[in-house]
Amino acid sequence: MDFLTLFLIYLCFVLTTIALLCICTGRKESFLARSVNSASQVLSFVIPTQLQRVTQRALHRLFHTRSCLFVVLHIALQAAVYGEYTWEVFVYCWELQFHLLLLLLPYLLLAGNMGCFILCSRASPGIITKSNHASLVKIYAYDGILFQKGIVCPTCNMEKPARSKHCSFCSICVHRFDHHCVWVNNCIGAFNAKYFFLYLFTLTAMAATVAIITAAFLIQVVLLSNMMHGSYIDDQGQEHAVDMLFLIQHLFLTFPRIVFMLGFVILLTLVLGAYCCFNLYLALTNQTSNEWYKSRRHGCSHHPTLQPRDRRVVYKNIYSKGVWMNLKEIFKPPTVLERKKK
Protein backbone atom coordinates (compact mmCIF):
# COMPACT_ATOMS: atom_id res chain seq x y z
CA MET A 1 0.00 0.00 0.00
CA ASP A 2 1.18 3.55 -0.75
CA PHE A 3 1.71 6.30 1.77
CA LEU A 4 -1.66 7.92 1.10
CA THR A 5 -3.45 4.66 1.85
CA LEU A 6 -1.63 4.21 5.14
CA PHE A 7 -2.28 7.83 6.06
CA LEU A 8 -6.02 7.54 5.35
CA ILE A 9 -6.26 4.31 7.33
CA TYR A 10 -4.50 5.90 10.30
CA LEU A 11 -6.59 9.08 10.04
CA CYS A 12 -9.87 7.17 9.90
CA PHE A 13 -8.84 4.96 12.84
CA VAL A 14 -8.00 7.98 15.00
CA LEU A 15 -11.16 9.85 14.05
CA THR A 16 -13.34 6.79 14.59
CA THR A 17 -11.89 6.34 18.07
CA ILE A 18 -12.49 9.99 18.91
CA ALA A 19 -16.01 9.87 17.47
CA LEU A 20 -16.95 6.84 19.55
CA LEU A 21 -15.50 8.37 22.72
CA CYS A 22 -16.96 11.82 22.22
CA ILE A 23 -20.40 11.07 20.82
CA CYS A 24 -21.90 11.84 24.24
CA THR A 25 -19.32 14.35 25.45
CA GLY A 26 -20.74 17.02 27.73
CA ARG A 27 -21.70 15.10 30.86
CA LYS A 28 -19.58 15.51 33.95
CA GLU A 29 -19.33 11.83 34.71
CA SER A 30 -19.02 10.52 31.17
CA PHE A 31 -17.49 7.18 30.32
CA LEU A 32 -14.57 9.00 28.73
CA ALA A 33 -13.88 11.04 31.88
CA ARG A 34 -13.95 7.95 34.10
CA SER A 35 -11.66 6.07 31.71
CA VAL A 36 -9.16 8.92 31.58
CA ASN A 37 -9.13 9.24 35.39
CA SER A 38 -8.62 5.50 35.88
CA ALA A 39 -5.85 5.36 33.29
CA SER A 40 -4.08 8.39 34.77
CA GLN A 41 -4.07 6.79 38.23
CA VAL A 42 -2.46 3.62 36.88
CA LEU A 43 0.08 5.43 34.71
CA SER A 44 1.02 7.93 37.44
CA PHE A 45 3.45 5.38 38.88
CA VAL A 46 5.60 5.20 35.72
CA ILE A 47 5.12 8.59 34.01
CA PRO A 48 7.22 11.58 35.18
CA THR A 49 5.35 14.23 37.14
CA GLN A 50 6.11 16.99 34.64
CA LEU A 51 4.71 14.92 31.80
CA GLN A 52 1.61 14.15 33.87
CA ARG A 53 0.98 17.87 34.36
CA VAL A 54 1.36 18.60 30.67
CA THR A 55 -1.00 15.72 29.82
CA GLN A 56 -3.61 16.85 32.36
CA ARG A 57 -3.51 20.42 31.00
CA ALA A 58 -3.90 19.09 27.46
CA LEU A 59 -6.86 16.85 28.43
CA HIS A 60 -8.50 19.68 30.34
CA ARG A 61 -8.06 21.97 27.37
CA LEU A 62 -9.43 19.32 25.04
CA PHE A 63 -12.44 18.00 26.97
CA HIS A 64 -13.34 20.70 29.51
CA THR A 65 -12.97 23.98 27.62
CA ARG A 66 -14.51 25.31 24.46
CA SER A 67 -12.26 24.53 21.49
CA CYS A 68 -12.44 24.40 17.69
CA LEU A 69 -10.28 21.26 17.52
CA PHE A 70 -13.20 18.87 17.04
CA VAL A 71 -14.74 21.16 14.44
CA VAL A 72 -11.49 20.90 12.46
CA LEU A 73 -11.50 17.11 12.91
CA HIS A 74 -15.13 17.03 11.82
CA ILE A 75 -14.31 18.88 8.60
CA ALA A 76 -11.17 16.76 8.01
CA LEU A 77 -13.21 13.57 8.40
CA GLN A 78 -15.83 14.71 5.91
CA ALA A 79 -13.13 15.87 3.49
CA ALA A 80 -11.37 12.49 3.67
CA VAL A 81 -14.55 10.50 3.06
CA TYR A 82 -15.88 12.73 0.30
CA GLY A 83 -12.46 12.99 -1.34
CA GLU A 84 -12.27 9.21 -1.60
CA TYR A 85 -15.88 8.98 -2.73
CA THR A 86 -15.41 11.64 -5.42
CA TRP A 87 -12.11 10.51 -6.92
CA GLU A 88 -12.74 6.78 -6.92
CA VAL A 89 -16.26 5.58 -6.10
CA PHE A 90 -18.08 8.26 -8.11
CA VAL A 91 -15.83 7.75 -11.14
CA TYR A 92 -16.12 3.95 -11.12
CA CYS A 93 -19.88 4.07 -10.57
CA TRP A 94 -20.29 6.55 -13.42
CA GLU A 95 -18.42 4.14 -15.71
CA LEU A 96 -20.74 1.35 -14.55
CA GLN A 97 -23.72 3.59 -15.49
CA PHE A 98 -25.15 4.15 -12.01
CA HIS A 99 -28.03 6.64 -11.95
CA LEU A 100 -26.67 10.18 -11.72
CA LEU A 101 -29.22 11.29 -9.10
CA LEU A 102 -28.14 8.45 -6.82
CA LEU A 103 -24.48 9.44 -7.19
CA LEU A 104 -25.28 13.10 -6.45
CA LEU A 105 -27.41 12.31 -3.37
CA PRO A 106 -24.44 12.34 -0.92
CA TYR A 107 -23.52 15.87 -2.12
CA LEU A 108 -27.08 17.09 -1.62
CA LEU A 109 -27.08 15.67 1.89
CA LEU A 110 -23.67 17.27 2.51
CA ALA A 111 -25.04 20.69 1.54
CA GLY A 112 -27.99 20.26 3.92
CA ASN A 113 -25.73 18.96 6.67
CA MET A 114 -23.33 21.90 6.38
CA GLY A 115 -26.27 24.30 6.56
CA CYS A 116 -27.57 22.64 9.73
CA PHE A 117 -24.03 22.55 11.13
CA ILE A 118 -23.57 26.30 10.66
CA LEU A 119 -26.99 27.09 12.13
CA CYS A 120 -26.41 24.77 15.10
CA SER A 121 -22.96 26.16 15.87
CA ARG A 122 -23.85 29.83 15.36
CA ALA A 123 -27.35 29.99 16.83
CA SER A 124 -27.87 30.80 20.49
CA PRO A 125 -28.90 27.69 22.44
CA GLY A 126 -30.92 29.84 24.83
CA ILE A 127 -28.47 31.73 27.00
CA ILE A 128 -30.09 32.85 30.26
CA THR A 129 -29.32 36.46 31.08
CA LYS A 130 -30.63 38.92 33.63
CA SER A 131 -32.79 40.55 30.95
CA ASN A 132 -34.62 37.35 29.90
CA HIS A 133 -34.43 35.44 33.19
CA ALA A 134 -37.87 36.56 34.43
CA SER A 135 -39.60 35.33 31.26
CA LEU A 136 -37.69 32.06 30.91
CA VAL A 137 -38.32 31.04 34.52
CA LYS A 138 -42.09 31.05 33.83
CA ILE A 139 -42.02 28.65 30.87
CA TYR A 140 -41.46 25.33 32.68
CA ALA A 141 -42.66 24.26 36.11
CA TYR A 142 -40.29 22.77 38.68
CA ASP A 143 -40.81 19.03 39.10
CA GLY A 144 -39.34 18.99 42.62
CA ILE A 145 -36.93 16.14 41.83
CA LEU A 146 -34.62 17.00 38.97
CA PHE A 147 -35.34 20.73 39.17
CA GLN A 148 -36.15 22.52 42.38
CA LYS A 149 -37.12 26.12 42.97
CA GLY A 150 -34.62 28.39 44.71
CA ILE A 151 -31.40 26.80 43.40
CA VAL A 152 -28.98 29.57 42.46
CA CYS A 153 -26.18 29.17 39.93
CA PRO A 154 -23.00 30.20 41.80
CA THR A 155 -21.30 31.32 38.59
CA CYS A 156 -24.10 33.32 36.96
CA ASN A 157 -25.59 34.36 40.32
CA MET A 158 -29.15 33.72 39.14
CA GLU A 159 -31.87 31.29 40.15
CA LYS A 160 -31.88 28.35 37.76
CA PRO A 161 -35.08 28.04 35.73
CA ALA A 162 -36.53 24.55 35.43
CA ARG A 163 -34.81 22.38 32.77
CA SER A 164 -31.80 24.70 32.66
CA LYS A 165 -28.17 23.90 33.45
CA HIS A 166 -24.89 25.74 33.70
CA CYS A 167 -22.41 24.68 30.99
CA SER A 168 -18.87 24.54 32.32
CA PHE A 169 -17.50 24.60 28.75
CA CYS A 170 -19.13 27.91 27.79
CA SER A 171 -19.57 29.28 31.35
CA ILE A 172 -23.25 30.12 30.73
CA CYS A 173 -26.64 28.90 31.90
CA VAL A 174 -28.69 27.41 29.06
CA HIS A 175 -32.49 27.22 28.81
CA ARG A 176 -33.70 23.61 28.34
CA PHE A 177 -30.11 22.41 28.33
CA ASP A 178 -29.46 19.15 26.49
CA HIS A 179 -25.67 18.80 26.29
CA HIS A 180 -22.54 20.53 25.05
CA CYS A 181 -21.56 19.18 21.63
CA VAL A 182 -17.85 19.45 20.88
CA TRP A 183 -18.45 18.69 17.19
CA VAL A 184 -20.39 21.94 16.66
CA ASN A 185 -18.52 23.77 19.47
CA ASN A 186 -21.75 24.93 21.05
CA CYS A 187 -24.33 24.00 23.65
CA ILE A 188 -27.54 22.33 22.54
CA GLY A 189 -30.52 24.04 24.13
CA ALA A 190 -34.09 25.07 23.47
CA PHE A 191 -33.38 27.39 20.54
CA ASN A 192 -30.95 25.29 18.48
CA ALA A 193 -32.16 21.75 19.31
CA LYS A 194 -34.03 21.60 15.97
CA TYR A 195 -30.84 22.39 14.07
CA PHE A 196 -28.92 19.73 15.98
CA PHE A 197 -31.62 17.15 15.31
CA LEU A 198 -31.53 17.89 11.56
CA TYR A 199 -27.73 17.98 11.62
CA LEU A 200 -27.60 14.55 13.23
CA PHE A 201 -30.21 13.14 10.85
CA THR A 202 -28.47 14.42 7.70
CA LEU A 203 -25.09 13.23 9.02
CA THR A 204 -26.48 9.72 9.52
CA ALA A 205 -28.12 9.80 6.09
CA MET A 206 -24.81 10.91 4.53
CA ALA A 207 -22.88 8.01 6.02
CA ALA A 208 -25.61 5.51 5.10
CA THR A 209 -25.86 6.77 1.51
CA VAL A 210 -22.11 6.64 0.93
CA ALA A 211 -22.03 3.14 2.43
CA ILE A 212 -24.89 1.90 0.23
CA ILE A 213 -23.41 3.32 -2.98
CA THR A 214 -19.92 1.99 -2.17
CA ALA A 215 -21.27 -1.46 -1.29
CA ALA A 216 -23.34 -1.49 -4.50
CA PHE A 217 -20.22 -0.67 -6.50
CA LEU A 218 -18.19 -3.50 -4.94
CA ILE A 219 -21.05 -5.96 -5.42
CA GLN A 220 -21.32 -4.92 -9.06
CA VAL A 221 -17.58 -5.48 -9.52
CA VAL A 222 -17.87 -8.99 -8.06
CA LEU A 223 -20.86 -9.85 -10.24
CA LEU A 224 -19.25 -8.58 -13.43
CA SER A 225 -16.04 -10.49 -12.76
CA ASN A 226 -17.97 -13.70 -12.00
CA MET A 227 -15.52 -14.18 -9.14
CA MET A 228 -17.88 -16.10 -6.87
CA HIS A 229 -17.91 -19.02 -9.30
CA GLY A 230 -14.13 -19.19 -9.53
CA SER A 231 -11.43 -20.86 -7.41
CA TYR A 232 -7.96 -20.09 -6.06
CA ILE A 233 -4.85 -22.05 -5.09
CA ASP A 234 -3.48 -21.57 -1.58
CA ASP A 235 0.14 -21.60 -0.42
CA GLN A 236 0.12 -25.40 -0.16
CA GLY A 237 -0.98 -25.73 -3.76
CA GLN A 238 -4.53 -26.85 -2.95
CA GLU A 239 -7.46 -25.51 -4.92
CA HIS A 240 -10.40 -23.95 -3.04
CA ALA A 241 -13.65 -22.36 -4.08
CA VAL A 242 -13.84 -18.61 -3.54
CA ASP A 243 -15.35 -17.84 -0.14
CA MET A 244 -16.32 -14.60 1.55
CA LEU A 245 -12.99 -14.18 3.38
CA PHE A 246 -11.00 -14.55 0.15
CA LEU A 247 -13.38 -12.15 -1.58
CA ILE A 248 -12.92 -9.47 1.07
CA GLN A 249 -9.12 -9.89 0.99
CA HIS A 250 -9.13 -9.63 -2.81
CA LEU A 251 -11.27 -6.49 -2.79
CA PHE A 252 -9.11 -4.93 -0.08
CA LEU A 253 -5.94 -5.57 -2.11
CA THR A 254 -7.60 -4.25 -5.27
CA PHE A 255 -9.45 -1.26 -3.75
CA PRO A 256 -7.79 -0.74 -0.33
CA ARG A 257 -8.99 2.79 0.34
CA ILE A 258 -12.52 2.09 -0.89
CA VAL A 259 -12.92 -1.04 1.25
CA PHE A 260 -11.55 0.68 4.33
CA MET A 261 -13.79 3.69 3.75
CA LEU A 262 -16.76 1.34 3.43
CA GLY A 263 -15.97 -0.30 6.77
CA PHE A 264 -15.56 3.11 8.37
CA VAL A 265 -18.84 4.59 7.07
CA ILE A 266 -20.74 1.40 8.00
CA LEU A 267 -19.44 1.69 11.58
CA LEU A 268 -20.24 5.40 11.56
CA THR A 269 -23.76 4.72 10.27
CA LEU A 270 -24.42 2.23 13.08
CA VAL A 271 -23.10 4.58 15.79
CA LEU A 272 -24.82 7.68 14.43
CA GLY A 273 -28.01 5.73 13.71
CA ALA A 274 -28.19 4.52 17.31
CA TYR A 275 -27.54 8.03 18.61
CA CYS A 276 -30.11 9.44 16.19
CA CYS A 277 -32.72 6.96 17.47
CA PHE A 278 -31.86 7.91 21.05
CA ASN A 279 -32.37 11.61 20.26
CA LEU A 280 -35.66 10.80 18.53
CA TYR A 281 -36.77 8.94 21.65
CA LEU A 282 -35.85 11.96 23.78
CA ALA A 283 -37.76 14.29 21.45
CA LEU A 284 -40.89 12.12 21.42
CA THR A 285 -40.88 11.87 25.23
CA ASN A 286 -39.93 15.55 25.77
CA GLN A 287 -36.69 14.84 27.58
CA THR A 288 -33.17 16.21 27.22
CA SER A 289 -29.97 14.20 27.48
CA ASN A 290 -29.27 15.97 30.76
CA GLU A 291 -32.70 15.06 32.16
CA TRP A 292 -32.47 11.45 30.96
CA TYR A 293 -29.08 11.05 32.64
CA LYS A 294 -30.25 12.71 35.87
CA SER A 295 -33.47 10.66 35.97
CA ARG A 296 -31.44 7.42 35.74
CA ARG A 297 -29.29 8.59 38.62
CA HIS A 298 -32.12 9.89 40.79
CA GLY A 299 -34.21 6.81 40.11
CA CYS A 300 -31.90 4.83 42.39
CA SER A 301 -31.50 7.40 45.14
CA HIS A 302 -33.51 8.84 48.01
CA HIS A 303 -34.93 12.33 48.20
CA PRO A 304 -35.08 13.38 51.87
CA THR A 305 -37.42 16.34 51.33
CA LEU A 306 -40.11 14.59 49.35
CA GLN A 307 -40.14 11.00 50.54
CA PRO A 308 -39.20 9.10 53.70
CA ARG A 309 -35.56 7.96 53.65
CA ASP A 310 -36.54 4.31 53.33
CA ARG A 311 -38.54 4.87 50.12
CA ARG A 312 -37.29 5.41 46.59
CA VAL A 313 -38.33 8.46 44.60
CA VAL A 314 -40.50 7.55 41.62
CA TYR A 315 -39.55 10.05 38.93
CA LYS A 316 -42.31 11.09 36.53
CA ASN A 317 -41.71 13.25 33.48
CA ILE A 318 -44.15 16.14 33.90
CA TYR A 319 -43.05 17.86 30.69
CA SER A 320 -44.39 15.26 28.23
CA LYS A 321 -47.53 16.43 26.42
CA GLY A 322 -47.98 13.67 23.88
CA VAL A 323 -45.91 12.55 20.92
CA TRP A 324 -47.02 15.25 18.47
CA MET A 325 -46.78 18.16 20.92
CA ASN A 326 -43.41 16.92 22.19
CA LEU A 327 -42.01 16.80 18.67
CA LYS A 328 -43.51 20.20 17.90
CA GLU A 329 -41.76 21.68 20.94
CA ILE A 330 -38.37 20.83 19.43
CA PHE A 331 -39.04 22.90 16.31
CA LYS A 332 -41.07 25.60 18.04
CA PRO A 333 -39.98 26.14 21.67
CA PRO A 334 -42.78 27.47 23.90
CA THR A 335 -42.85 31.06 25.06
CA VAL A 336 -44.44 32.63 28.12
CA LEU A 337 -47.45 33.77 26.09
CA GLU A 338 -48.05 30.27 24.72
CA ARG A 339 -47.81 28.77 28.17
CA LYS A 340 -50.37 31.23 29.57
CA LYS A 341 -52.87 30.29 26.86
CA LYS A 342 -52.77 26.58 27.85
Side-chain angles (χ1 to χ4, degrees):
M1 286 183 283
D2 55 11
F3 174 77
L4 180 59
T5 302
L6 293 174
F7 174 76
L8 287 175
I9 291 175
Y10 176 75
L11 177 64
C12 290
F13 173 77
V14 172
L15 293 177
T16 303
T17 304
I18 293 175
L20 292 174
L21 289 176
C22 298
I23 196 71
C24 296
T25 298
R27 302 185 182 98
K28 287 185 177 181
E29 297 297 329
S30 64
F31 171 77
L32 177 60
R34 294 195 300 269
S35 300
V36 170
N37 290 334
S38 301
S40 62
Q41 292 176 0
V42 174
L43 296 176
S44 62
F45 297 101
V46 294
I47 298 179
T49 305
Q50 189 65 25
L51 183 58
Q52 291 183 40
R53 293 175 181 173
V54 173
T55 304
Q56 289 174 356
R57 284 197 295 267
L59 291 174
H60 178 78
R61 174 70 179 173
L62 190 60
F63 295 110
H64 295 282
T65 58
R66 198 173 183 183
S67 172
C68 293
L69 175 61
F70 287 97
V71 175
V72 175
L73 291 176
H74 174 276
I75 296 174
L77 175 60
Q78 285 190 335
V81 171
Y82 271 84
E84 182 63 24
Y85 173 79
T86 302
W87 296 113
E88 295 208 42
V89 177
F90 185 92
V91 174
Y92 287 137
C93 289
W94 179 254
E95 293 177 355
L96 293 174
Q97 298 182 341
F98 277 58
H99 199 285
L100 180 60
L101 183 59
L102 176 64
L103 298 180
L104 293 178
L105 183 57
Y107 299 105
L108 298 177
L109 290 171
L110 176 63
N113 179 256
M114 291 306 297
C116 295
F117 169 79
I118 294 173
L119 289 172
C120 189
S121 60
R122 301 295 296 176
S124 170
I127 302 175
I128 301 174
T129 62
K130 292 184 178 179
S131 59
N132 64 12
H133 177 269
S135 59
L136 293 180
V137 77
K138 298 176 182 178
I139 294 179
Y140 293 113
Y142 293 92
D143 63 1
I145 300 178
L146 301 185
F147 306 103
Q148 301 184 45
K149 189 175 179 60
I151 303 299
V152 178
C153 174
T155 304
C156 301
N157 196 27
M158 292 184 296
E159 182 182 3
K160 291 183 178 181
R163 310 193 77 180
S164 69
K165 186 179 184 298
H166 182 84
C167 176
S168 59
F169 288 81
C170 304
S171 190
I172 55 173
C173 280
V174 178
H175 174 54
R176 199 182 183 276
F177 178 86
D178 191 278
H179 71 288
H180 180 91
C181 180
V182 295
W183 299 109
V184 300
N185 197 28
N186 198 8
C187 290
I188 308 302
F191 300 144
N192 66 347
K194 53 181 176 291
Y195 302 132
F196 178 76
F197 186 81
L198 294 174
Y199 160 77
L200 187 61
F201 176 78
T202 53
L203 191 62
T204 306
M206 281 167 49
T209 304
V210 172
I212 291 172
I213 296 175
T214 305
F217 158 68
L218 294 176
I219 292 173
Q220 188 74 355
V221 168
V222 172
L223 294 177
L224 291 175
S225 64
N226 203 25
M227 191 181 304
M228 291 300 296
H229 299 287
S231 61
Y232 69 96
I233 299 176
D234 62 14
D235 297 336
Q236 287 75 32
Q238 297 180 350
E239 186 176 359
H240 299 276
V242 173
D243 55 8
M244 188 59 64
L245 180 59
F246 176 85
L247 186 62
I248 294 175
Q249 291 176 347
H250 177 77
L251 289 174
F252 186 78
L253 292 175
T254 308
F255 309 102
R257 293 193 295 267
I258 295 179
V259 173
F260 188 84
M261 184 194 71
L262 175 60
F264 173 72
V265 292
I266 288 176
L267 176 62
L268 202 60
T269 301
L270 295 175
V271 174
L272 290 173
Y275 190 52
C276 195
C277 291
F278 174 68
N279 276 267
L280 179 60
Y281 160 75
L282 293 179
L284 295 178
T285 56
N286 205 331
Q287 297 183 80
T288 64
S289 297
N290 177 56
E291 292 165 2
W292 181 87
Y293 177 74
K294 291 175 68 174
S295 66
R296 302 282 83 74
R297 184 182 61 189
H298 281 264
C300 299
S301 62
H302 294 85
H303 203 295
T305 60
L306 298 179
Q307 298 283 351
R309 297 188 63 88
D310 59 342
R311 295 180 60 187
R312 291 177 181 269
V313 171
V314 178
Y315 170 72
K316 182 179 180 181
N317 181 16
I318 66 171
Y319 306 113
S320 180
K321 307 166 188 174
V323 172
W324 173 248
M325 294 301 297
N326 292 341
L327 191 60
K328 181 181 177 182
E329 188 170 312
I330 296 295
F331 294 92
K332 188 181 178 182
T335 62
V336 179
L337 294 177
E338 290 177 345
R339 187 171 185 269
K340 285 182 178 179
K341 291 179 183 179
K342 295 178 181 179

